Structure formats: structure tokens, C-alpha cells
Amino acid sequence: MLKFLKRLHWMDYVILCVVITLAVIIAARMGTALNYNWRWDKIPNYLYRYKESEDAWVANLLVQGLYTTIRIAIYSSILALILGVVLGIARCANNLTIRMLARTYLEFLRNVPPVVIIFIFFFFLSEQLITALNLDRWARGIARSDDAAVWTFFFGDMRRFPALISGVIVLALFESAFVGEIVRAGIQSVDNGQREAARSIGMNRFQEMRYIVLPQALRKVMPPMANQFITLIKDSSLVSLISVPDLTFKTVELVASTRLIFEAWLTAAAFYFVICFGLSMLFRRLEK
């Protein structure tokens, strides 16, 4: 901590003082001009609550939403990475049909508002897939069973499992378009001499991509990929529009029932900031 403070310039302290002063002024103006009654003492009750039947503290609305957001972010990131790598490789394929199909998918998703994309994928793909696989009945059966603890740990309330899967699918399909373009740029940044050297020693297309191109491309795409995963966490708030009980959805519920408008949204913003800032620091270390 002391080393960090020593690196700060005097201008950093000035900016910090200005930010704190502005925050205090805004809070004071909200209390006077808007006649808003701050009730921060109520927020801890919506983080955790004491459940007498279990004699333990359990997660309440905001923490439940936070857990769901983390689950959606993790599963969507994995699925978006897999789809994005496939799309990025397809964009560099020799076959014109494969390249055009991949480009059509990428260009469509990158040039249409995300809210529209989420509704399209939800009603025309995700919901149909869940109905076809009968996931709703299966999830309710798991929720009523005695050995649901492991499922609950990974997926939360199994009665809301279809909603969670819907959020993961639509978010991953949307974000995979951006991951695909990042992977495509990384692949094309590898010098052609590397490819020619691979072919000269008898490597086929798959071996060239696996052993020569992708290892070099991954190092180059790490910074933009890290930024995209952080963006994915912030974009996860959009799945609340399709009734996925994430942090944003739970915050809306809390505001509607308690009128803790600023307290609830500032708490949600703090949760998002901590997650994104923590990932930013982690990826910065990985880049080094």
C-alpha cells in the first residue's frame, strides 16, 4: 500500500479530492433538492438474512443476484470463447462458403443493438431449445430431490435453471461475435513465413493451426480478449430483460418493493465495479 502511495503524483491527490468533493456535493443536493431520505441501514438486510428454519445466515436478494451474475459470466465466457475461436478460424478458412457464413454471423451480431439480439435469440432459439429438451421438467425434478446440493452450488435455484441457461446461451451467442473477430485478427497477425515454414516440414492445415498459428495468436489477443470478458460481465445485465434473476433483475425487484432507489443501484454498481476491476487487475498480471 505504501509503495502504491509513493507512486502517486500530486495531481492524483488533487483529482481524488475533486472526485470526493463532487460525490459529497451530489449526495447533499440529492438530500435537499430531491428531498430524498437515505436509508443505507436497510441494505445489509437485503444482502444476507437470518433463516430461522436453518439457524444460519443465507443470501438475500442482492447477493442471490450477484451469484447468478457470476455464474452467467463464467458459463457464458467459456461458451463464447469456444464459439469465438471456431468463428475466428472459420473467418480465415480457405473455403469461401465457410468464410461467408462466419462473416454473415459476425456482421449481423456486431451491427444490431444487443437488446434486439437478446430478444431474437431468446424467443427463436433459446426458448425453443429448452422446450425441445424438456429442461423445465428435468430441473424441477432435480429441485425436489434430496441430492440437489451440488446442482444448487453450480446453478443456483434449480427451479430457475431454464432462465439461467437462456441467459447463458443468448449472452454467449452475442459475445462470441466479438470474440471471433478478436481471434481472426490474432490469426491474421501471424506472419505468413510461419505458415510457410510449417508447410515446408510437412504439417497439414490442422497441425499448422494448432502448433504454430494459435499459440502465437493467443499471446497477441490476450489484451483485447480480457477487455471483452470484462465487457461481457457488464453486458450480462441485459439478460434481466428476459427475466433472468441476475443482479440487475434483483435490484429492480428491490427498488420496486422498498423504494431504496439510490441505495440499491449504488450497491449493485459497487458489485459490478469490484468484479470488473478485480478481473482487470488479474488480466493485467497475466499479460505480464
Side-chain angles (χ1 to χ4, degrees):
M1 185 66 180
L2 291 175
K3 292 175 64 177
F4 173 75
L5 292 175
K6 289 179 180 179
R7 292 203 304 265
L8 294 178
H9 190 263
W10 66 268
M11 185 59 73
D12 297 322
Y13 291 104
V14 172
I15 294 174
L16 182 61
C17 291
V18 171
V19 171
I20 294 175
T21 303
L22 287 175
V24 172
I25 293 174
I26 292 172
R29 291 288 297 171
M30 288 170 59
T32 56
L34 297 180
N35 195 26
Y36 187 77
N37 181 27
W38 293 93
R39 292 178 291 166
W40 282 107
D41 58 302
K42 302 292 184 182
I43 290 297
N45 297 327
Y46 296 100
L47 299 177
Y48 286 93
R49 63 182 178 86
Y50 184 75
K51 192 172 183 180
E52 295 183 356
S53 60
E54 298 181 6
D55 192 25
W57 290 89
V58 296
N60 209 347
L61 280 176
L62 292 176
V63 175
Q64 289 173 3
L66 177 63
Y67 289 160
T68 302
T69 293
I70 293 174
R71 292 185 182 104
I72 290 174
I74 293 174
Y75 302 146
S76 298
S77 297
I78 295 172
L79 184 56
L81 180 61
I82 295 172
L83 293 174
V85 170
V86 172
L87 288 168
I89 295 174
R91 286 278 282 116
C92 303
N94 294 326
N95 189 292
L96 178 61
T97 303
I98 295 177
R99 288 205 312 271
M100 291 304 297
L101 287 174
R103 182 172 182 179
T104 301
Y105 178 88
L106 294 175
E107 293 296 339
F108 174 73
L109 266 71
R110 292 171 64 226
N111 293 286
V112 175
V115 174
V116 177
I117 294 296
I118 284 176
F119 279 116
I120 290 175
F121 278 132
F122 175 68
F123 289 112
F124 291 98
L125 180 61
S126 176
E127 193 176 65
Q128 305 300 324
L129 182 63
I130 288 173
T131 302
L133 297 177
N134 203 15
L135 287 181
D136 195 9
R137 179 182 297 178
W138 173 81
R140 291 184 181 277
I142 293 292
R144 289 192 294 266
S145 65
D146 296 329
D147 55 347
V150 175
W151 292 97
T152 301
F153 176 79
F154 286 103
F155 301 106
D157 186 357
M158 288 302 294
R159 292 172 298 180
R160 305 304 302 271
F161 179 78
L164 177 71
I165 294 301
S166 296
V168 169
I169 292 174
V170 298
L171 192 61
L173 290 174
F174 172 68
E175 296 293 338
S176 65
F178 298 92
V179 175
E181 277 298 279
I182 293 172
V183 173
R184 189 270 309 164
I187 291 174
Q188 292 182 344
S189 68
V190 177
D191 188 78
N192 285 331
Q194 300 285 329
R195 303 169 186 270
E196 294 172 1
R199 297 190 197 103
S200 69
I201 60 176
M203 285 189 176
N204 57 34
R205 174 77 174 176
F206 175 77
Q207 292 172 327
E208 169 195 330
M209 190 65 65
R210 179 182 176 184
Y211 296 110
I212 305 297
V213 177
L214 285 180
Q216 297 182 66
L218 286 177
R219 295 184 63 183
K220 297 181 179 181
V221 304
M222 178 63 75
M225 195 75 77
N227 182 67
Q228 190 58 45
F229 286 147
I230 293 173
T231 302
L232 183 147
I233 293 175
K234 293 183 288 186
D235 288 344
S236 67
S237 61
L238 295 172
V239 299
S240 63
L241 297 173
I242 55 176
S243 300
V244 178
D246 70 326
L247 180 56
T248 301
F249 185 86
K250 292 292 188 179
T251 303
V252 172
E253 284 188 342
L254 178 59
V255 170
S257 60
T258 64
R259 307 304 298 172
L260 297 171
I261 301 172
F262 293 109
E263 295 91 339
W265 285 114
L266 288 174
T267 303
F271 280 140
Y272 280 116
F273 175 80
V274 169
I275 296 173
C276 294
F277 184 74
L279 284 177
S280 177
M281 294 296 101
L282 174 63
F283 285 127
R284 186 177 299 177
R285 294 183 65 88
L286 290 176
E287 290 171 18
K288 292 180 179 180

